Each structure stands twice: as C-alpha cells, then as structure tokens.
C-alpha cells in the first residue's frame, strides 16, 4: 500500500510540475503590480504557479521521509484490502467529468452558477453517504456559495480580472 501511495504522490507531483511548466510563461508575462498601482492581474496566477510547484515537491519529500522512517519504502507494491480501486478510479473520472461540466457551465451560465455547482457537486461526491444529514448538506451548500463568491470577488474587484 505504501509503495502505491508513494507512486501516486510522485505521479501527481510530476503532473503538477508539468502544469506549472506550461503555465509559467503566460503567468509571468502578466504584470504582477507595482508599489503605486497595487496588485496586477498577474499576481494571483504567479502566486498559484509558485505555490503549486513548492507544494508538489513538499508533498513528495514528506511522503518519502515518512515512509523511510517507518521502513515502508522497501518491499513489493501491494494494495490495501480496504481500498477499492474502482472507487478511486470512479472518483477520479467523476472529478474530470465535473471539471469539464464546470467549464461548459462557465461558458453558458457564467462563473458564479458554474462554480457554485462544481464546488457543491465535488463536496457531495467526497462526503460519505453516512454524513448526508441536513446540517452537513446545508454547510456544504453554504461553503460552495461563500467560496464561489469569494473567488469571484477576488478576481473581479481585487485583481480586476472579469470572469465572464
């Protein structure tokens, strides 16, 4: 199980670093701001690119160090009996489908409704059915609403990047 976890960690880090490499040029081509004009439209993308690279590497280093400490890196790869590979693959595919739906919804409905639906659907997918109580669902809906409004306000009012 630990070998699969480490492999997944490295694979995700490589995927994130490839995405960072693709987005690095366009992100740093935008102005980040100045002392007189404040933050520019490139500030958030530049921060996200740097943060993604640093966090991807930090997660791999953390996983390697923790697995070395417990001696879990040696040995053959094994799947934990409690792990259902179909569920893991299903959640991954569902997330990709929902992301595509978010992009389509953004074009048709606008950012706010698409973002609210995407965050709520993602949260609902990750919330175990045993926790599907009225309070949990209301918290999930409130979180999706507030998060989407916060991201929208950040882009539109702080960074002055319209989200159409």
């Amino acid at each position: 199980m630990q070998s699969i976890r480490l492999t997944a960690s490295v694979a995700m880090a490589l995927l994130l670093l490839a995405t960072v490499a693709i987005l690095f040029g366009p992100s740093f081509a935008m102005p980040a701001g100045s002392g007189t004009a404040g933050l520019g439209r490139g500030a958030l993308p530049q921060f996200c690119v740097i943060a993604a690279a640093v966090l991807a590497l930090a997660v791999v280093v953390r996983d390697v160090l923790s697995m070395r400490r417990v001696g879990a890196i040696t040995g053959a790869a094994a799947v934990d009996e409690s792990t259902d590979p179909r569920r893991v693959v299903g959640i991954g595919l569902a997330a990709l489908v929902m992301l595509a739906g978010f992009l389509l919804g953004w074009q048709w409905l606008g950012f706010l409704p698409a973002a609210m639906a995407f965050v709520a659907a993602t949260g609902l997918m990750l919330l175990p059915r045993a926790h599907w109580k009225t309070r949990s669902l209301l918290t999930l809906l409130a979180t999706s609403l507030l998060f989407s409004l916060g991201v929208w306000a950040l882009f539109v009012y702080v960074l002055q990047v319209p989200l159409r």
Side-chain angles (χ1 to χ4, degrees):
M1 175 65 179
Q2 296 299 332
S3 299
I4 289 176
R5 179 176 170 204
L6 184 60
T7 303
S9 177
V10 170
M12 185 54 71
L14 290 174
L15 180 65
L16 282 171
L17 291 174
T19 304
V20 163
I22 292 169
L23 296 176
F24 188 85
S27 297
F28 281 88
M30 293 187 278
S34 65
T36 57
L39 287 177
R41 61 188 174 104
L44 184 63
Q46 291 172 14
F47 172 77
C48 289
V49 163
I50 291 170
V54 169
L55 291 174
L57 294 174
V59 167
V60 170
V61 169
R62 182 205 63 190
D63 286 347
V64 168
L65 291 177
S66 70
M67 289 179 199
R68 281 190 148 207
R69 187 173 37 251
V70 297
I73 288 183
T74 61
V79 177
D80 186 13
E81 293 173 9
S82 65
T83 303
D84 183 8
R86 295 174 301 197
R87 179 163 165 70
V88 173
V89 171
I91 287 175
L93 290 175
L96 289 175
V97 168
M98 287 190 307
L99 185 57
F102 166 67
L103 295 174
L104 287 173
W106 188 350
Q107 287 180 337
W108 293 336
L109 304 172
F111 176 80
L112 273 176
M116 286 181 217
F118 175 73
V119 173
T122 303
L124 194 60
M125 177 183 69
L126 296 175
L127 185 66
R129 285 206 189 261
H131 293 105
W132 282 20
K133 308 279 190 263
T134 303
R135 182 179 171 132
S136 299
L137 295 176
L138 289 175
T139 302
L140 179 68
L141 290 175
T143 302
S144 66
L145 173 73
L146 293 174
F147 180 78
S148 301
L149 281 171
V151 169
W152 176 79
L154 175 70
F155 273 91
V156 172
Y157 293 112
V158 176
L159 299 174
Q160 297 180 351
V161 176
L163 296 176
R164 299 181 194 115

